Amino acid sequence: MAFQIEADLPPGLACLKSVDALLRCPICFDYLNISMITKCSHNFCSLCIRKFLSYKLQCPVCNTQVTEQDLRNNRILDDLATNFQAARQKLSKANFDSPPISPKT
Amino acid sequence: MAFQIEADLPPGLACLKSVDALLRCPICFDYLNISMITKCSHNFCSLCIRKFLSYKLQCPVCNTQVTEQDLRNNRILDDLATNFQAARQKLSKANFDSPPISPKT
Ligand SMILES: [Zn+2]
Ligand SMILES: [Zn+2]
Ligand SMILES: [Zn+2]
Ligand SMILES: [Zn+2]
């Protein structure tokens, strides 16, 4: 839920972009925070989806009917998001510490 | 379920090891293939967990009681595993082919 969208990945890590995107919440676009999976297999931050369901009982992605009782923790996504962010930072640092990147046109 | 454990990550990508490990099935140790999530939030290949449950109705990781009806697809893990493997291959290749940053296109 934090209002913090990280800068783009450095060019050398562009191939990780789709992994990065999958680990983000479709509601707040930040990395998933206490991930909950719906019966329709979509994932959101716990707070984001609960707030949404208090307004409308359907999945924000595919419109399938969803209730709060249907939600299930998807803890592996929390671990993946945490570990991916750490790796991303290390790789970016390695990328920037070594030869400077010439600006792209 | 394939009998194919990839070689270790190159040293420059060691920080991705925990992400790699999370995307593997605790039964077959290969990347998750048609991921199913249990109520206890553990994930397995569809075939691996069904085979296991035909023998014993509990989670192979935490021993919680599990039935086949409790299983839910965790499709995001399939996408993550696919995309991560592709990225891993590109990064490994870049690591071996030339210094980390090479001008592209
Ligand atoms: Zn969110
Ligand atoms: Zn949905
Ligand atoms: Zn498996
Ligand atoms: Zn379990």
Side-chain angles (χ1 to χ4, degrees):
Chain A
M1 296 284 293
F3 196 77
Q4 177 208 12
I5 309 296
E6 282 82 0
D8 274 345
L9 288 157
L13 301 180
C15 56
L16 286 172
K17 200 160 186 164
S18 53
V19 173
D20 185 278
L22 285 165
L23 292 173
R24 292 179 182 270
C25 167
I27 296 178
C28 71
F29 301 111
D30 205 344
Y31 288 112
L32 285 159
N33 182 24
I34 315 182
S35 313
M36 304 300 288
I37 185 171
T38 59
K39 276 192 178 176
C40 47
S41 201
H42 291 120
N43 295 276
F44 310 91
C45 305
S46 177
L47 276 175
C48 290
I49 187 62
R50 286 179 209 278
K51 212 183 262 183
F52 186 93
L53 292 180
S54 73
Y55 155 72
K56 217 173 185 181
L57 290 175
Q58 64 179 46
C59 171
V61 169
C62 71
N63 297 340
T64 301
Q65 209 186 325
V66 173
T67 68
E68 242 192 86
Q69 292 76 45
D70 296 331
L71 299 176
R72 188 182 285 186
N73 276 100
N74 202 352
R75 289 194 201 96
I76 202 169
L77 289 182
D78 301 334
D79 295 341
L80 279 165
T82 305
N83 285 295
F84 178 76
Q85 283 176 82
R88 189 198 142 132
Q89 248 159 21
K90 271 199 192 167
L91 288 171
S92 299
K93 202 172 169 323
N95 245 325
F96 282 125
D97 281 357
S98 39
I101 302 163
S102 43
K104 225 181 117 188
T105 44
Chain B
M1 293 288 292
F3 196 77
Q4 176 208 14
I5 309 296
E6 281 81 2
D8 274 346
L9 289 156
L13 301 180
C15 55
L16 285 173
K17 199 160 186 163
S18 53
V19 172
D20 185 278
L22 286 165
L23 292 173
R24 290 178 183 269
C25 167
I27 296 178
C28 70
F29 302 111
D30 205 344
Y31 289 111
L32 286 159
N33 182 24
I34 314 184
S35 314
M36 303 300 288
I37 185 172
T38 60
K39 275 192 178 176
C40 47
S41 202
H42 292 120
N43 295 277
F44 309 91
C45 305
S46 177
L47 276 175
C48 291
I49 187 62
R50 286 179 208 276
K51 213 183 261 184
F52 185 93
L53 291 179
S54 74
Y55 156 73
K56 216 174 184 180
L57 288 176
Q58 63 179 45
C59 172
V61 169
C62 72
N63 298 340
T64 301
Q65 210 188 323
V66 174
T67 68
E68 242 192 85
Q69 293 74 47
D70 296 332
L71 299 176
R72 188 181 287 186
N73 276 102
N74 202 352
R75 287 193 202 97
I76 202 169
L77 289 183
D78 302 335
D79 295 341
L80 279 165
T82 306
N83 285 295
F84 178 76
Q85 284 176 80
R88 190 199 141 132
Q89 247 159 24
K90 271 199 192 166
L91 287 171
S92 300
K93 200 170 171 324
N95 244 326
F96 283 125
D97 280 358
S98 52
I101 301 151
S102 48
K104 240 180 81 184
T105 58

